[in-house]
Amino acid sequence: MKNDTQSLDTPLLPPDAKQVPHELEKHGDIRIDEYYWMNERDHPDVIAYLEAENAYYEQMTAHTKPLQQKLFEEMKARIKEDDESVPYKYNGYWYYTRFEKGKNYPLYCRREEVMTAPEEVMFDNNEMAEGHSYFKQAGYSISENNEIAVYGIDTVSRRQYDLQFKNLKTGDIYPVVIKNTTGRATWGGDNKTVFYTRKDPQTLRSSQIFKHVLGTEASDDVMVYEELDETFDVGIFKSKSRKYIFIEASSTLTSEYRYTEANGPGFEFKVIQERTRGLEYGVSHFGDYFYLVTNKDEATNFKLVKTPVASPAMENWVEVIPHREDTLLEDIEIFEEYLVVEERNGGLNKINIKRWDETEDYYLPFDSETYTVFASINPDFDTELLRYSYNALDTPPSVVSFNMRTKEKKILKEVEVLGGNFDKDNYESKRIWATADDGTAIPISIVYKKGISLDGSNPLLQYAYGSYGITTDPAFSTSRLSLLDNGFIFAIAHIRGGEYLGRNWYEDGKLLKKMNTFTDFIACSTYLIEQGYTNSNNLYAYGGSAGGLLMGGILNMAPQLYNGVIAAVPFVDVVTTMLDDSIPLTTSEYDEWGNPNDKEYYDYMKSYSPYDQVTVQNYPNILVTTGYHDSQVQYWEPAKWVARLRDKNIADTKIYFETNMDAGHGGASGRFEALKETAKDYAFLIDLAGKSK
């Protein structure tokens, strides 16, 4: 492999990845993967190639280092470094998270009964992260007597957490360490029993629920549930009422819950409703009933039912909120006197407040079409105060306390944008609609700085995700201001594959309709150009993970529309990955992408798989990033894709590939290290936009 021994002072050519043809056969179809050798993790040739790519990227972007530093400093300057979250009260303590000036990681704190009580620092992640290039704490769970915390730690970025225990009264860390968990745990009411989820060590599928008793060894832990269906994952949590513990087993299309009383003593789990393929439900507890958000009886956008705790099977489900064709029921929040319903209508978040006695039923008013609102942390039943979070593309996030009886609201906190230059009145946001190839209207949320001329000359960054029913809501970003203040327009394409316009919006962008995701994004790009927001010399696209798949698709299908594309941790080798059930997440994803062991799905996947569809043509400038320890998308997918793109690209454009050798799917840990990665991405875009003028 050439370039391996070149220094950064020597002009570099792009790394020349060796080609070793590897034959892959399925359904009589033969694919040749000339870069299959990159799958061998830790092989010297693989490490050398990744390091050569990193060296090439560093030298080719060296001229943007001052810009990167400038962007980082201004993004950092907007952040209140000594910030603190809004406290919430739970079981006699006020809990909150705070940051200290100049430090990368949070401190998790609490005060007993009143906020004037002495502060207890439960966890200082800055101290805990010392000596680690990556550090992540997966929250914490406190015993009912408020004395012991169980928490998860990941220092590899593989999302395999070690569970540990801390005595909050003495500060002692217990010697027992439970390996290979999701990092989350749930306490029984006896203050000694802890339930947690263990992962399959190879596939990383969450497949087993274990019970640990304080004072015993991890090797003595008892498995209370194992999920044998490889398309399902499991988890465990406690109800808001703290009376029940639930085991959730779910796939993309199907769910099943088990429950037991949190106070034991035997912790015998019983099924609420046995799984039926295509039946989904989620569970909350209130009084003598479980409340279920479900798609039963073809309730595509979901409905709310209740069922007696004593006999919760489907035949006893009673409708509370019926299914509505135009409204997606997303979640509920239960209070003693009120039911709060989070729903989505016409793409917009709605909060519906209902009294249980049916004397009131109203919606919170919001005027914008580019906002995000959701119920925040509401741990108490017996209160008339609803806490919710609000922000918009041009409005910083705020936490609001709303009195559901008097309808009075109080802003508990609005995120401060420091630096002295931000005024939300200087920005404009709106929603526009493009038309897809099949005539479907596709919404786009956009924001830009007032005063720019919409004459087609503006650089524009278009973002989308478009998978798993995950909706990208129009949310504020302090970092994004660095793009807007440099003349960029930012656009979110609400393409099919998410649930922006309801459950059918998701169904029309998955499995054998996945192509709609790509063509919707391209239709939005075309519309933005036609309407004078930008032009093909100044249009940029960004997507990560499954959104990186989207980037790969549009690069093959319509490369002429874009001057630059950023693909972060991209899922691009769809067919090969989905045929390998040893890779993390593969089997649980069959209901999203299809099972390529079925020829119909194999052929369809291959028709859009970015790696398989790379062809000899003009590709735009491309930046691809990944993490060596990524548990979601293995590093070799983007590595192979970049090598093939370089081999086939006939345009005089740059293709860069950077691997963070210390990180995984979520990128660097720590708030400032993450900002440095954002600054690199933005510098790539701003540099290209400057060259195109």
Coordinates of all heavy atoms in Angstrom, one line a residue, residues 80-121:
K80 N -22.7 28.4 27.7 CA -22.4 28.8 29.1 C -21.7 27.6 29.8 O -22.3 26.5 30.1 CB -23.8 29.0 29.8 CG -23.7 29.6 31.2 CD -25.1 30.0 31.7 CE -24.9 30.8 33.0 NZ -24.4 30.0 34.1
E81 N -20.4 27.8 30.0 CA -19.6 26.6 30.4 C -20.0 26.1 31.8 O -19.9 24.9 32.1 CB -18.1 27.0 30.4 CG -17.6 27.2 29.0 CD -16.1 27.2 28.9 OE1 -15.5 26.4 29.6 OE2 -15.5 28.1 28.2
D82 N -20.3 27.1 32.7 CA -20.7 26.7 34.1 C -22.2 26.6 34.2 O -22.9 27.2 35.0 CB -20.2 27.7 35.1 CG -20.6 29.1 34.8 OD1 -21.0 29.4 33.7 OD2 -20.4 29.9 35.7
D83 N -22.8 25.7 33.3 CA -24.2 25.6 33.1 C -24.8 24.5 34.1 O -24.1 23.7 34.7 CB -24.5 25.2 31.7 CG -26.0 25.6 31.3 OD1 -26.6 26.3 32.1 OD2 -26.4 25.3 30.2
E84 N -26.1 24.6 34.2 CA -26.8 23.7 35.2 C -28.2 23.3 34.6 O -28.9 24.2 34.1 CB -26.9 24.3 36.5 CG -27.4 23.4 37.6 CD -27.4 24.0 39.0 OE1 -26.3 24.4 39.4 OE2 -28.5 24.2 39.6
S85 N -28.6 22.1 34.7 CA -29.9 21.7 34.2 C -31.0 22.2 35.2 O -30.7 22.5 36.4 CB -30.0 20.2 34.0 OG -29.9 19.5 35.3
V86 N -32.2 22.2 34.8 CA -33.3 22.5 35.7 C -33.5 21.3 36.7 O -33.8 20.2 36.2 CB -34.6 22.8 34.9 CG1 -35.8 23.1 35.9 CG2 -34.4 24.0 34.0
P87 N -33.5 21.5 38.0 CA -33.6 20.4 38.9 C -35.0 19.8 38.8 O -36.0 20.5 38.6 CB -33.4 21.0 40.3 CG -32.7 22.3 40.0 CD -33.2 22.8 38.7
Y88 N -35.1 18.5 39.1 CA -36.4 17.8 39.3 C -36.4 17.0 40.6 O -35.4 16.5 41.0 CB -36.8 17.0 38.1 CG -35.9 15.8 37.9 CD1 -36.2 14.5 38.5 CD2 -34.7 15.8 37.2 CE1 -35.4 13.4 38.4 CE2 -33.9 14.7 37.0 CZ -34.2 13.5 37.6 OH -33.4 12.4 37.5
K89 N -37.6 16.9 41.2 CA -37.6 16.2 42.5 C -38.1 14.8 42.3 O -39.1 14.6 41.6 CB -38.5 17.0 43.5 CG -38.4 16.5 44.9 CD -39.1 17.4 45.9 CE -38.8 17.0 47.3 NZ -39.6 17.9 48.3
Y90 N -37.4 13.9 42.9 CA -37.8 12.5 42.9 C -37.5 11.8 44.2 O -36.4 11.8 44.7 CB -37.0 11.8 41.7 CG -37.4 10.3 41.6 CD1 -38.5 9.9 41.0 CD2 -36.5 9.3 42.1 CE1 -38.8 8.6 40.8 CE2 -36.8 8.0 41.9 CZ -38.0 7.6 41.3 OH -38.3 6.3 41.2
N91 N -38.5 11.3 44.8 CA -38.4 10.5 46.0 C -37.6 11.2 47.1 O -36.7 10.7 47.8 CB -37.7 9.1 45.7 CG -37.8 8.1 46.8 OD1 -38.7 8.2 47.7 ND2 -36.9 7.2 46.9
G92 N -37.9 12.5 47.3 CA -37.3 13.3 48.4 C -36.0 14.0 48.1 O -35.5 14.7 48.9
Y93 N -35.5 13.9 46.8 CA -34.3 14.6 46.4 C -34.5 15.4 45.2 O -35.2 15.0 44.3 CB -33.1 13.6 46.2 CG -32.5 13.1 47.5 CD1 -33.0 12.1 48.3 CD2 -31.3 13.7 47.9 CE1 -32.4 11.7 49.4 CE2 -30.6 13.3 49.1 CZ -31.2 12.3 49.8 OH -30.6 11.8 51.0
W94 N -33.8 16.5 45.1 CA -33.7 17.3 43.8 C -32.5 16.9 43.1 O -31.4 16.9 43.6 CB -33.7 18.8 44.1 CG -34.9 19.4 44.6 CD1 -35.3 19.5 45.9 CD2 -36.0 19.9 43.8 NE1 -36.6 20.1 46.0 CE2 -37.0 20.3 44.7 CE3 -36.3 20.0 42.5 CZ2 -38.3 20.8 44.3 CZ3 -37.5 20.5 42.0 CH2 -38.5 20.9 43.0
Y95 N -32.7 16.4 41.8 CA -31.6 16.0 41.0 C -31.3 16.9 39.8 O -32.3 17.5 39.3 CB -31.9 14.6 40.4 CG -31.9 13.5 41.5 CD1 -33.1 13.2 42.2 CD2 -30.8 12.8 41.7 CE1 -33.1 12.2 43.1 CE2 -30.8 11.8 42.7 CZ -31.9 11.5 43.4 OH -31.9 10.5 44.4
Y96 N -30.0 17.1 39.5 CA -29.7 18.0 38.4 C -28.3 17.6 37.9 O -27.5 16.9 38.6 CB -29.7 19.5 38.8 CG -28.9 19.8 40.0 CD1 -27.6 20.4 39.9 CD2 -29.3 19.6 41.3 CE1 -26.8 20.7 41.0 CE2 -28.6 19.9 42.4 CZ -27.3 20.5 42.3 OH -26.5 20.8 43.3
T97 N -27.9 18.2 36.8 CA -26.6 18.0 36.2 C -26.0 19.3 36.0 O -26.7 20.3 35.6 CB -26.7 17.3 34.8 OG1 -27.4 16.0 35.0 CG2 -25.4 17.0 34.2
R98 N -24.7 19.5 36.3 CA -24.1 20.8 36.0 C -22.7 20.6 35.4 O -22.1 19.5 35.5 CB -24.0 21.6 37.3 CG -23.1 21.0 38.4 CD -23.1 22.0 39.6 NE -22.3 21.5 40.7 CZ -21.0 21.6 40.8 NH1 -20.3 22.3 39.9 NH2 -20.4 21.1 41.9
F99 N -22.2 21.6 34.8 CA -20.9 21.6 34.2 C -20.1 22.7 34.9 O -20.6 23.8 35.3 CB -20.9 21.9 32.7 CG -21.4 20.8 31.8 CD1 -22.8 20.6 31.6 CD2 -20.5 19.9 31.3 CE1 -23.2 19.6 30.8 CE2 -21.0 18.8 30.5 CZ -22.3 18.7 30.3
E100 N -18.8 22.5 34.9 CA -17.9 23.5 35.5 C -17.1 24.1 34.3 O -16.7 23.4 33.4 CB -17.0 22.9 36.6 CG -17.8 22.5 37.8 CD -16.9 22.0 38.9 OE1 -15.7 21.6 38.6 OE2 -17.3 21.9 40.1
K101 N -16.7 25.4 34.5 CA -16.0 26.1 33.4 C -14.7 25.4 33.0 O -13.9 25.0 33.9 CB -15.7 27.5 33.9 CG -15.1 28.4 32.8 CD -15.0 29.8 33.3 CE -14.4 30.8 32.3 NZ -15.3 30.9 31.1
G102 N -14.5 25.2 31.8 CA -13.3 24.6 31.2 C -13.3 23.1 31.3 O -12.3 22.4 30.8
K103 N -14.3 22.4 31.8 CA -14.3 21.0 31.9 C -15.2 20.3 30.9 O -16.3 20.9 30.5 CB -14.7 20.6 33.3 CG -13.7 21.0 34.4 CD -14.0 20.4 35.8 CE -12.9 20.8 36.8 NZ -13.2 20.3 38.1
N104 N -14.8 19.1 30.5 CA -15.5 18.5 29.3 C -16.7 17.7 29.7 O -17.6 17.5 28.9 CB -14.5 17.5 28.7 CG -14.3 17.8 27.2 OD1 -15.2 18.3 26.5 ND2 -13.1 17.5 26.7
Y105 N -16.8 17.2 31.0 CA -17.8 16.3 31.4 C -18.7 16.8 32.5 O -18.3 17.7 33.2 CB -17.2 15.0 31.8 CG -16.4 14.3 30.7 CD1 -15.0 14.4 30.5 CD2 -17.1 13.4 29.8 CE1 -14.3 13.8 29.5 CE2 -16.4 12.8 28.8 CZ -15.0 12.9 28.7 OH -14.4 12.3 27.7
P106 N -19.9 16.2 32.6 CA -20.9 16.7 33.6 C -20.6 16.2 35.0 O -19.9 15.2 35.2 CB -22.2 16.2 33.1 CG -21.8 14.9 32.4 CD -20.5 15.2 31.7
L107 N -21.2 16.9 36.0 CA -21.3 16.4 37.3 C -22.7 16.1 37.6 O -23.6 17.0 37.4 CB -20.8 17.4 38.3 CG -19.3 17.7 38.4 CD1 -18.9 18.7 37.2 CD2 -18.8 18.3 39.7
Y108 N -23.0 14.9 38.1 CA -24.4 14.5 38.5 C -24.6 14.8 40.0 O -23.8 14.2 40.8 CB -24.7 13.1 38.2 CG -24.6 12.8 36.7 CD1 -23.5 12.2 36.1 CD2 -25.7 13.1 35.9 CE1 -23.4 11.9 34.8 CE2 -25.6 12.8 34.5 CZ -24.5 12.2 34.0 OH -24.5 12.0 32.6
C109 N -25.6 15.6 40.3 CA -25.7 16.1 41.7 C -27.1 16.0 42.2 O -28.1 15.8 41.5 CB -25.3 17.6 41.8 SG -23.7 18.0 41.0
R110 N -27.3 16.1 43.6 CA -28.6 16.1 44.2 C -28.5 16.9 45.5 O -27.5 17.1 46.1 CB -29.1 14.7 44.4 CG -28.4 13.9 45.5 CD -29.0 12.6 45.7 NE -28.4 11.8 46.8 CZ -28.8 10.7 47.3 NH1 -29.9 10.1 46.7 NH2 -28.3 10.1 48.3
R111 N -29.7 17.3 45.9 CA -29.9 18.0 47.2 C -31.1 17.4 47.9 O -32.1 17.2 47.2 CB -30.0 19.5 47.1 CG -28.8 20.2 46.4 CD -29.0 21.7 46.2 NE -28.0 22.3 45.4 CZ -27.0 23.0 45.9 NH1 -26.8 23.1 47.2 NH2 -26.1 23.5 45.1
E112 N -31.1 17.2 49.2 CA -32.2 16.6 49.9 C -33.3 17.6 50.2 O -33.1 18.6 50.8 CB -31.7 15.9 51.2 CG -32.7 15.1 51.9 CD -32.2 14.3 53.0 OE1 -31.0 14.5 53.4 OE2 -32.9 13.4 53.6
E113 N -34.5 17.3 49.7 CA -35.8 18.0 50.0 C -35.8 19.4 49.5 O -36.8 19.8 48.8 CB -36.0 18.0 51.5 CG -36.4 16.7 52.1 CD -37.7 16.1 51.5 OE1 -38.5 16.9 50.9 OE2 -37.9 14.9 51.6
V114 N -34.8 20.2 49.7 CA -34.9 21.6 49.2 C -33.6 22.0 48.5 O -32.5 21.4 48.8 CB -35.1 22.6 50.4 CG1 -36.5 22.4 51.0 CG2 -34.1 22.4 51.5
M115 N -33.7 22.9 47.6 CA -32.5 23.3 46.8 C -31.5 24.1 47.6 O -30.4 24.3 47.2 CB -32.9 24.0 45.6 CG -33.4 23.2 44.5 SD -32.2 21.9 43.9 CE -31.0 23.0 43.1
T116 N -31.8 24.5 48.8 CA -30.9 25.2 49.7 C -30.1 24.2 50.6 O -29.1 24.6 51.3 CB -31.6 26.2 50.6 OG1 -32.6 25.5 51.3 CG2 -32.2 27.3 49.8
A117 N -30.4 22.9 50.5 CA -29.7 21.9 51.2 C -28.3 21.7 50.6 O -28.0 22.1 49.5 CB -30.4 20.6 51.2
P118 N -27.3 21.2 51.4 CA -26.0 21.0 50.8 C -26.0 20.1 49.6 O -26.8 19.1 49.5 CB -25.2 20.3 52.0 CG -26.0 20.6 53.2 CD -27.4 20.7 52.8
E119 N -25.1 20.4 48.7 CA -25.0 19.7 47.4 C -24.3 18.4 47.6 O -23.2 18.3 48.3 CB -24.3 20.5 46.3 CG -24.2 19.7 45.0 CD -23.4 20.5 44.0 OE1 -22.2 20.6 44.1 OE2 -24.0 21.1 43.1
E120 N -24.8 17.3 47.1 CA -24.1 16.0 47.0 C -23.7 15.8 45.6 O -24.5 15.7 44.7 CB -25.0 14.9 47.4 CG -25.5 14.9 48.9 CD -26.3 13.7 49.2 OE1 -26.1 12.6 48.7 OE2 -27.3 13.9 49.9
V121 N -22.4 15.7 45.3 CA -21.9 15.3 44.0 C -21.8 13.8 43.9 O -21.0 13.2 44.5 CB -20.5 16.0 43.7 CG1 -20.0 15.5 42.3 CG2 -20.6 17.5 43.7

